[in-house]
Amino acid sequence: MSPLSRNPAVVAGPPLPASVCRAAEREPGRGGLAELRHVVLLDRADPALHRSLAGCFTRCDTYRGTLDVKAHRYADVATFAGHAAAGSLPAVARVAGDAGEVLDAVARAAWDRTACLVTGEGRAPLVVVSPWSRRQQPAKQVFDDSSLHRFLHRWLGVPHEGPTTSDLTWAFGFGQPYQPDAGARASEHVRLHLRNSGARVRLHLDGEPHDVSTSTELVLPLEIAYRFAVTGPNGFRREFAGTRNEPQVVESSVSGRGKVLTVTLGNSGDTDVVYEVAGDGRRFRMSVRPGGRRVLPWMTAYRHGWYDLAISSGPFHRTLTGHVESG
């Protein structure tokens, strides 16, 4: 018998689909937010089923919203189930029909990469059904649709700077947040270093995905000049441009505790290098002597952890954009 079916809250309502009970017993992926591929919105579930779900998964008693977000709409469960089985679900979907049948379809074909947000009748709490849910642990924060928007923006890698009550990401218990970074050096080739601390994260090199747990090095071919970009979740972006055997060196590191992006400007040549730095309303120049290095702490706390700066020196260019996650 599934541990979920022994929960007293489940006994009070109809039993959950057996497929959901089996799926909920599996260990969730350890990649955190990077594992999530689909969010399914279910409105006004049957009260008894909703009580059962609330007894097993994260219950947001203080949610004050209507799940008002853009989503692909399914008029029936059969079409949704077909897309789930075929692995062709959209990122965000809203399904009309029996919530139990929808959850069954998710559990059978897409459980390990899907989160279902379920509301009940009237003021019933929002329930987050997913492999990463904080089981049987009610949320004490106040949530509303802005919380959902912030979560979706974080997941899809789009900056969100509007006011929010709380971040719905709490409901998933992903653990230590990811913290991606990237740097590159050009000589005969371009050596690209993808780095990350915390949960595994998926970064894209000009659209090509790379899953990064700690660090990955890629060697890219180089003729005369190069230009490419690395992107990731929550607005992360690094742009790189330059030429072969360039003397300019830019390195970066991120500290979640102090919400500081530390940028180091270097010079491997035999003449001075002048960098132009612009971002977050600031613009200035920094000169680095041959063989020298200068450290530039970029404070982000006053922008709630967000940063966006560009560093240039002739054809050499770096753009650093993203968010310093809490450490």
Side-chain angles (χ1 to χ4, degrees):
M1 180 180 292
S2 164
L4 292 180
S5 64
R6 292 195 293 267
N7 188 296
V10 177
V11 177
L16 299 179
S19 57
V20 174
C21 295
R22 290 193 297 269
E25 291 181 334
R26 299 199 298 265
E27 281 293 319
R30 297 187 177 183
L33 199 60
E35 299 278 349
L36 185 62
R37 293 289 179 271
H38 316 291
V39 172
V40 178
L41 309 176
L42 300 173
D43 300 307
R44 304 177 67 181
D46 172 80
L49 175 63
H50 188 268
R51 286 195 298 272
S52 295
L53 293 172
C56 301
F57 298 97
T58 307
R59 190 178 77 242
C60 302
D61 292 331
T62 56
Y63 188 83
R64 302 291 182 260
T66 59
L67 301 182
D68 183 19
V69 296
K70 291 183 179 179
H72 179 89
R73 293 181 176 272
Y74 285 94
D76 59 88
V77 178
T79 303
F80 171 84
H83 285 186
S88 59
L89 287 177
V92 184
R94 187 184 300 273
V95 189
D98 183 84
E101 294 180 4
V102 175
L103 292 171
D104 177 65
V106 169
R108 292 177 183 276
W111 178 265
D112 295 326
R113 56 189 184 275
T114 303
C116 298
L117 308 184
V118 187
T119 64
E121 298 284 348
R123 307 285 287 188
L126 172 73
V127 180
V128 178
V129 180
S130 83
W132 308 277
S133 291
R134 295 173 180 263
R135 303 293 168 78
Q136 305 175 33
Q137 183 174 353
K140 297 180 180 179
Q141 298 95 323
V142 175
F143 298 108
D144 58 18
D145 284 340
S146 70
S147 309
L148 175 57
H149 279 269
R150 182 175 179 183
F151 162 69
L152 293 175
H153 278 73
R154 177 188 291 266
W155 168 47
L156 296 172
V158 179
H160 181 271
E161 299 189 30
T164 59
T165 50
S166 298
D167 188 348
L168 197 61
T169 307
W170 178 94
F172 292 86
F174 287 125
Q176 185 180 4
Y178 52 78
Q179 187 63 77
D181 202 355
R185 294 286 301 273
S187 54
E188 299 301 312
H189 304 278
V190 175
R191 293 188 176 275
L192 172 64
H193 297 269
L194 305 178
R195 301 183 298 276
N196 176 48
S197 61
R200 182 163 62 95
V201 68
R202 174 163 293 183
L203 303 180
H204 293 81
L205 169 59
D206 285 343
E208 179 183 347
H210 295 271
D211 290 332
V212 183
S213 296
T214 54
S215 64
T216 299
E217 181 181 274
L218 304 175
V219 179
L220 310 179
L222 173 60
E223 294 183 359
I224 299 175
Y226 63 92
R227 181 179 294 274
F228 58 88
V230 175
T231 58
N234 210 22
F236 176 83
R237 184 177 183 86
R238 297 289 189 270
E239 296 179 4
F240 303 89
T243 57
R244 179 191 288 250
N245 296 321
E246 59 200 7
Q248 296 92 340
V249 181
V250 171
E251 299 172 346
S252 59
S253 63
V254 183
S255 170
R257 178 169 297 179
K259 288 196 174 295
V260 178
L261 172 70
T262 301
V263 179
T264 302
L265 307 179
N267 179 2
S268 63
D270 52 12
T271 60
D272 287 2
V273 169
V274 177
Y275 292 95
E276 295 185 358
V277 182
D280 297 340
R282 304 160 62 191
R283 181 180 295 272
F284 54 91
R285 292 184 176 185
M286 294 184 70
S287 180
V288 183
R289 295 178 178 179
R293 295 163 63 90
R294 294 187 66 179
V295 177
L296 172 63
W298 199 266
M299 313 305 291
T300 70
Y302 77 102
R303 299 189 75 239
H304 308 290
W306 296 104
Y307 60 88
D308 184 6
L309 67 153
I311 302 171
S312 300
S313 176
F316 178 91
H317 179 80
R318 298 289 188 265
T319 294
L320 299 90
T321 304
H323 185 261
V324 179
E325 308 298 334
S326 297

